[in-house]
Amino acid sequence: MDSKPFTEPGTRPPAPVKIVIAGGFGVGKTTAVSSISEIKPLTTEAAITSMSADNTGHVPSKTTTTVALDFGCITIDEEVKLYLFGTPGQDRFGFMWQDLVHGALGALVIVDTRRMDDCYPAVDYFENAGLPFVVAVNMFDGSLGHNLEDVRWALAVSDDVPLITFDARQKLSVRDALLAVLHNTFKRARAQAGAGA
């Protein structure tokens, strides 16, 4: 019985790369995964309870929240396929972050400048974890409420962490944000390899 290869001779499937999409409650993590995923995203949305209601001031139309994770994927090219893991935004589900981050190459930390206090825990988490990350200010209503340098200062993010704007509703904007995560991860890996030489 002849066995046939799973792929054409001389070709390989894209390398799987895990990226985490993180941030506070209602910043656009589920929207970003849903906008870019080439498969129907897996979401774990549940109705907002009284425990979450205090966080909805700037997002009054939000009726659900992620309670475990969001999952999607996107093929970048024939060499790289991104597997996207969105974290839950509420503090009470924070215990899941360690498992979701395990094995990730980098992270996209989404920020809502209308609620800066909600942004600190995610930034601090990835700084302490030592995982390369990009801070992405979500352009709610298509506008930027604060100058990016002011956002950098407010979050106390070092200059070597890329700070960008994007729109979680727009596929190409999300793609560019994810590419920024990849570029930052590879840049950091090259720098560490050079330092070790």
Side-chain angles (χ1 to χ4, degrees):
M1 181 174 172
D2 292 336
S3 62
K4 294 183 179 180
F6 291 105
T7 59
E8 294 289 326
T11 64
R12 295 182 182 170
V17 174
K18 181 178 182 180
I19 299 290
V20 174
I21 298 179
F25 173 81
V27 297
K29 301 178 298 294
T30 300
T31 301
V33 172
S34 298
S35 295
I36 194 77
S37 182
E38 63 193 18
I39 63 169
K40 182 178 179 180
L42 166 68
T43 60
T44 56
E45 295 282 294
I48 290 179
T49 65
S50 59
M51 291 184 75
S52 311
D54 291 342
N55 292 329
T56 61
H58 287 284
V59 282
S61 61
K62 187 167 175 61
T63 59
T64 61
T65 185
T66 300
V67 295
L69 70 122
D70 299 312
F71 174 78
C73 65
I74 180 71
T75 302
I76 298 295
D77 55 29
E78 58 266 346
E79 295 183 1
V80 177
K81 185 168 188 171
L82 299 185
Y83 290 88
L84 310 174
F85 289 78
T87 65
Q90 295 184 54
D91 292 342
R92 62 191 172 122
F93 299 119
F95 66 91
M96 300 187 66
W97 279 42
Q98 186 173 350
D99 289 337
L100 292 175
V101 168
H102 182 73
L105 220 61
L108 181 69
V109 177
I110 302 177
V111 168
D112 179 352
T113 57
R114 301 170 301 180
R115 297 177 291 133
M116 293 294 285
D117 287 349
D118 295 344
C119 305
Y120 302 125
V123 171
D124 291 346
Y125 181 91
F126 290 103
E127 284 180 338
N128 293 332
L131 188 70
F133 68 99
V134 170
V135 175
V137 177
N138 196 357
M139 300 280 283
F140 288 94
D141 303 320
S143 62
L144 181 62
H146 300 277
N147 178 287
L148 283 183
E149 285 310 308
D150 291 340
V151 174
R152 183 181 296 280
W153 178 84
L155 294 175
V157 176
S158 66
D159 289 339
D160 61 339
V161 174
L163 179 61
I164 63 173
T165 61
F166 88 124
D167 187 331
R169 301 164 298 181
Q170 302 295 325
K171 180 177 183 176
L172 293 179
S173 187
V174 176
R175 179 205 64 188
D176 291 345
L178 294 172
L179 289 173
V181 174
L182 287 178
H183 291 310
N184 182 52
T185 298
F186 296 145
K187 178 181 175 183
R188 181 168 161 178
R190 284 193 297 270
Q192 289 176 341

